Amino acid sequence: MQINNIESFLGYYSKIKNRTQRLFDYIPPDKLEWTYLQGKFTIGDIIRHLANIERYMYAETVQFKPSKYKGCGIEFAKGFEEVKAYYNRMHEESMQIFARLSTKDLQKKCNTPAGIEITIWKWLRAMVEHEVHHRGQLYMYLGMLDVKTPPIFGLTSEEVASNSK
């Protein structure tokens, strides 16, 4: 998928973010800082990581600035409501930056933190893939906690199989 128009991309990306955010309502607040293994991201870390990487890496680099990503620990937001609000605030700031990109800007190249030049529309596409990757982690973590989560597109696998001919 090539991104030719920032307005249509922002609409699409908002839907991606909404599907991630919908999972937050299923997180037991007392499990926000739970992880399956010491040294791995907690649920809260994943949410803060998504917030910070979007705002301080992707949104900075599409402005031809270096990444300002500094991690995802509780120093950025602590507690269930604060973490959700932080995620939303960073997303709003990012969307304001992305909305300033012109069609011409989408064809320009920016530098990744690895020092690789990439076309901005491809970098934005990678941002979507990154979000989806970590959403999958949230589903996995919640499954490990035996939390029933909503099907991502309305039907479970079993319901799809039952409705198929």
Side-chain angles (χ1 to χ4, degrees):
M1 173 187 101
Q2 182 168 343
I3 301 165
N4 297 313
N5 173 301
I6 197 62
E7 291 80 17
S8 63
F9 170 75
L10 294 178
Y12 167 72
Y13 187 54
S14 291
K15 291 175 186 173
I16 297 290
K17 294 294 281 188
N18 287 340
R19 285 193 285 273
T20 300
Q21 191 176 31
R22 195 171 51 195
L23 273 182
F24 298 172
D25 293 334
Y26 293 84
I27 299 168
D30 65 325
K31 298 295 185 190
L32 182 67
E33 300 307 333
W34 175 86
T35 184
Y36 66 96
L37 185 65
Q38 189 168 339
K40 300 294 183 182
F41 278 177
T42 66
I43 292 171
D45 289 338
I46 294 170
I47 297 168
R48 289 184 293 264
H49 173 71
L50 286 169
N52 285 344
I53 209 83
E54 177 189 64
R55 174 58 191 88
Y56 295 113
M57 187 185 77
Y58 288 103
E60 289 299 308
T61 56
V62 300
Q63 298 178 88
F64 312 104
K65 297 177 181 178
S67 172
K68 294 181 182 176
Y69 179 77
K70 299 289 185 205
C72 56
I74 61 172
E75 65 272 15
F76 295 99
K78 183 178 182 178
F80 192 65
E81 294 304 320
E82 188 177 327
V83 168
K84 290 191 307 185
Y86 185 75
Y87 178 89
N88 292 333
R89 189 170 68 252
M90 294 300 100
H91 178 58
E92 288 172 22
E93 288 181 20
S94 299
M95 292 294 273
Q96 290 174 5
I97 292 166
F98 299 143
R100 293 193 299 257
L101 294 171
S102 69
T103 301
K104 193 173 184 177
D105 290 335
L106 293 173
Q107 300 306 318
K108 294 177 182 176
K109 292 190 182 279
C110 64
N111 285 308
T112 70
I116 298 168
E117 275 195 350
I118 187 169
T119 306
I120 287 176
W121 72 263
K122 291 179 182 177
W123 192 229
L124 292 174
R125 184 179 62 187
M127 179 177 67
V128 172
E129 292 176 17
H130 179 263
E131 178 84 16
V132 171
H133 159 75
H134 286 296
R135 183 191 318 138
Q137 281 186 307
L138 289 172
Y139 270 101
M140 179 65 75
Y141 276 40
L142 291 172
M144 293 169 79
L145 291 169
D146 202 28
V147 173
K148 184 168 174 47
T149 55
I152 192 165
F153 295 116
L155 296 176
T156 65
S157 173
E158 296 80 12
E159 291 167 332
V160 171
S162 172
N163 292 349
S164 297
K165 298 188 190 269

